[in-house]
Amino acid sequence: IHHPGSSILGHSIESAQRGRGPIFGIIDDPERDDNSYSKKWRREFFQKLFGVYLPMFHSGGKLLWIGTVIHGQSCLHQALTGLSQATDEEEAPDPRFNDWHKRRFRMIEEKSDGTIFSRCPELLSIEGFEKKKETLGLTAVMAELQGTPINPGQVAFNFHPTRHGYMREEHEGKEYFLDLFSGERIPWDLWVDSLLVFGAGDLADGASTDSDPGSVVFVGVDRGGTIYVLDVFTKKIHADKLVEHAYTLAEKWNCISLGWEKVGMQTVIVRLARQYVDKLRKEGKVPPSVIAIENNTKKKINRILTMIPLFELRKTKLPYTKLFIDKHGKQHKSAALPNARYH
């Protein structure tokens, strides 16, 4: 396009004009967090790509896809690996990709001698790339600038059961809290009574296969400031049922306050929660207070990054439900937990 006399004539995929036979096409960053996690949206995207957009091209046409690999099942990553959401299977090879000759252009590339260089140094230098990794985290930078999906659980939180785990241990018919790092053992009920317990829920109203799951998490904080994940419940469930289940669990854990994410239409669940709390109070119960959590102006990645120091300092502990063998060779068995599969 920089040559004299060159120009660009573009038409949208939704345009009524067809049959012009373009040789170049551009898909400009169609995926976002609010659509790419929906299997239905991904299926509709591939239907448009193969059913509407690509038939406009001559054989041998070139397609430039600009985008961020949001997660391993995102459309961009599936296209790069020759998969699509054409069927209900998560990872079904799509033969329509067989004739594609794919080339990935990353912002930072590596030469044969192992050194790296920037494709657009005026936009992002090597020094700037390293700084972004420090400030935004490897997960965000590799996904956005390099087009490489990385599981945040593997990068941001490198879990090791001995360093970051605890167990609700079953021993001789009784239950104990067992710290997998120190080996400290305390009767379970006595340990739970020593904690300040808080809960938080995230609404996803729907029970169909395409719905996102709703979730509720309960954490306990001890006197030393260590945060223990006590219970996790996640299910494709309607909002009112999620509220009921959350307050049933809150009573079990003697929870002080229960927060609900408040953004857009999610304000509805805060109202549902307050109505349910009023109902419990009329029954003579003392439910946890309702807290509205506003996250719409706070970037999720930044919120996750703030938790990394606590995790690295062993100030965040997760339940471990598998058989644990300590350094002395002694086996420890987890008690049966109702929501263990979500841990």
Side-chain angles (χ1 to χ4, degrees), residues 306-325:
T306 61
M307 296 188 290
I308 293 179
L310 290 172
F311 190 76
E312 293 299 326
L313 292 171
R314 300 195 306 274
K315 288 293 186 179
T316 302
K317 297 276 190 173
L318 304 175
Y320 190 72
T321 58
K322 299 178 182 178
L323 183 68
F324 179 74
I325 302 176

Side-chain angles (χ1 to χ4, degrees), residues 161-179:
T162 302
R163 283 181 54 83
H164 310 110
Y166 75 93
M167 179 178 284
R168 182 173 181 173
E169 181 187 16
E170 183 180 5
H171 181 69
E172 296 180 351
K174 297 182 179 180
E175 294 183 354
Y176 297 88
F177 161 81
L178 175 67
D179 189 297

Side-chain angles (χ1 to χ4, degrees), residues 11-235:
H11 294 287
S12 166
I13 182 175
E14 301 291 353
S15 170
Q17 301 185 38
R18 295 289 183 266
R20 298 203 171 207
I23 59 173
F24 245 142
I26 297 174
I27 300 176
D28 188 6
D29 204 17
E31 299 185 87
R32 303 183 304 274
D33 283 343
D34 60 351
N35 59 29
S36 184
Y37 284 96
S38 165
K39 184 187 297 185
K40 178 182 177 182
W41 184 91
R42 298 198 302 267
R43 190 181 298 121
E44 291 176 350
F45 174 86
F46 280 113
Q47 287 173 350
K48 280 189 175 182
L49 176 66
F50 288 111
V52 180
Y53 192 43
L54 293 183
M56 297 170 60
F57 286 74
H58 283 307
S59 178
K62 293 179 173 58
L63 185 67
L64 174 64
W65 190 327
I66 305 168
T68 298
V69 178
I70 296 175
H71 54 89
Q73 298 298 327
S74 63
C75 294
L76 177 53
H77 184 248
Q78 287 193 320
L80 286 169
T81 51
L83 309 173
S84 81
Q85 207 72 48
T87 69
D88 288 332
E89 297 181 44
E90 287 294 333
E91 296 186 357
D94 194 321
R96 292 174 294 184
F97 283 118
N98 290 348
D99 296 329
W100 285 41
H101 301 283
K102 297 184 283 289
R103 182 176 178 185
R104 188 194 309 248
F105 293 93
R106 298 177 175 87
M107 181 66 84
I108 304 296
E109 293 284 6
E110 184 176 346
K111 297 180 181 179
S112 57
D113 60 1
T115 59
I116 59 175
F117 68 96
S118 172
R119 287 192 174 276
C120 302
E122 68 278 7
L123 297 178
L124 181 67
S125 64
I126 299 298
E127 294 77 12
F129 177 69
E130 295 297 333
K131 186 174 181 180
K132 280 184 177 291
K133 285 199 295 186
E134 293 177 3
T135 56
L136 297 180
L138 182 62
T139 301
V141 171
M142 294 301 286
E144 183 171 352
L145 300 179
Q146 300 296 83
T148 305
I150 296 179
N151 185 337
Q154 295 176 349
V155 175
F157 300 97
N158 187 15
F159 176 80
H160 189 280
T162 302
R163 283 181 54 83
H164 310 110
Y166 75 93
M167 179 178 284
R168 182 173 181 173
E169 181 187 16
E170 183 180 5
H171 181 69
E172 296 180 351
K174 297 182 179 180
E175 294 183 354
Y176 297 88
F177 161 81
L178 175 67
D179 189 297
L180 302 188
F181 179 76
S182 66
E184 179 184 22
R185 177 191 277 174
I186 304 172
W188 179 259
D189 290 340
L190 182 63
W191 177 73
V192 171
D193 288 343
S194 71
L195 303 175
L196 295 176
V197 179
F198 306 91
D202 190 7
L203 167 68
D205 183 30
S208 67
T209 55
D210 288 331
S211 298
D212 291 329
S215 61
V216 183
V217 178
F218 293 89
V219 300
V221 184
D222 69 10
R223 294 178 181 178
T226 300
I227 303 170
Y228 296 88
V229 178
L230 299 174
D231 208 349
V232 177
F233 174 79
T234 178
K235 186 178 181 180

Side-chain angles (χ1 to χ4, degrees), residues 192-201 216-221 228 230-231 243-260 277 280-281 285-291 293:
V192 171
D193 288 343
S194 71
L195 303 175
L196 295 176
V197 179
F198 306 91
V216 183
V217 178
F218 293 89
V219 300
V221 184
Y228 296 88
L230 299 174
D231 208 349
V243 170
E244 292 180 19
H245 199 81
Y247 280 94
T248 300
L249 292 175
E251 183 177 6
K252 166 190 169 184
W253 291 108
N254 196 22
C255 179
I256 296 174
S257 64
L258 186 53
W260 297 95
V277 164
L280 293 176
R281 285 173 178 164
K285 297 181 179 180
V286 185
S289 58
V290 179
I291 305 295
I293 303 173

